[in-house]
């Protein structure tokens, strides 16, 4: 399945005394917060990208986004709330998540650990090289 480069979803800005709360009507659980409106928009982009990446990573298809027109006909928002469109560019978040570092715990004999440490072996680099070789990745 081909994944789109861009997603566009409607968010709701909820202006409260402590800042601006963000929710996405089409994406339950996708929420964020900003200290002010500009920060809320930035946080909304980030949480949307990560939420959609998680959906894609689970092998699921993100829901079809609603339009502001559809949502505004369905729900009259209180005065302290407003709809806004959030766009996210997925190739950069996909690359970032693919290349993130994952901490692994492994077990080796004490004598091998001592010997490797005495030679100044970098365990992470050595394991990466060995895994790439085992997976025929060069």
């Amino acid at each position: 399945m081909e994944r789109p480069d861009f997603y566009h979803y409607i968010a709701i800005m909820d202006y409260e005394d402590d800042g601006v709360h963000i929710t996405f009507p089409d994406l339950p659980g996708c929420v964020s917060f900003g200290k002010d409106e500009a920060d809320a928009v930035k946080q909304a982009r980030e949480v949307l990208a990560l939420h959609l990446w998680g959906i894609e990573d689970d092998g699921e298809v993100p829901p079809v986004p609603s339009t502001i027109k559809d949502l505004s006909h369905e729900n009259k928002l209180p005065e302290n709330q407003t709809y806004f469109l959030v766009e996210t560019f997925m190739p950069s978040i996909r690359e970032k998540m693919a290349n993130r570092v994952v901490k692994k715990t492994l077990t080796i004999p004490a004598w091998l650990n001592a010997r490797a440490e005495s030679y100044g072996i970098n365990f992470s680099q050595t394991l990466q090289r060995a895994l790439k070789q085992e997976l025929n990745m060069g």
Side-chain angles (χ1 to χ4, degrees):
M1 177 187 90
E2 191 170 322
R3 300 173 301 179
D5 286 346
F6 290 92
Y7 285 108
H8 301 85
Y9 278 87
I10 305 304
I12 297 174
M13 256 188 214
D14 185 357
Y15 297 87
E16 298 291 339
D17 292 338
D18 62 345
V20 183
H21 298 257
I22 303 295
T23 56
F24 291 84
D26 296 320
L27 301 165
C30 185
V31 298
S32 193
F33 175 82
K35 63 181 183 282
D36 55 33
E37 195 172 89
D39 186 44
V41 170
K42 178 182 173 213
Q43 299 301 327
R45 281 193 195 110
E46 185 173 323
V47 75
L48 178 62
L50 290 172
H51 192 87
L52 292 170
W53 176 85
I55 290 172
E56 290 180 349
D57 193 52
D58 289 343
E60 299 174 12
V61 177
V64 175
S66 299
T67 66
I68 292 177
K69 183 179 178 182
D70 292 339
L71 288 172
S72 61
H73 286 314
E74 293 172 15
N75 302 325
K76 177 83 170 123
L77 293 179
E79 283 187 22
N80 67 321
Q81 294 182 352
T82 189
Y83 293 112
F84 72 107
L85 182 65
V86 181
E87 175 184 83
T88 188
F89 181 65
M90 294 303 291
S92 58
I93 194 72
R94 290 178 190 128
E95 181 178 346
K96 178 181 178 182
M97 296 306 288
N99 292 311
R100 73 190 186 284
V101 176
V102 178
K103 185 174 174 73
K104 300 302 276 183
T105 302
L106 59 102
T107 305
I108 60 172
W111 67 265
L112 185 57
N113 183 63
R115 183 86 183 256
E117 285 180 345
S118 74
Y119 278 78
I121 300 290
N122 180 313
F123 288 86
S124 292
Q125 287 177 352
T126 302
L127 179 58
Q128 287 179 50
R129 277 195 307 272
L131 287 170
K132 287 177 182 177
Q133 182 178 350
E134 185 71 20
L135 298 168
N136 296 317
M137 296 175 65

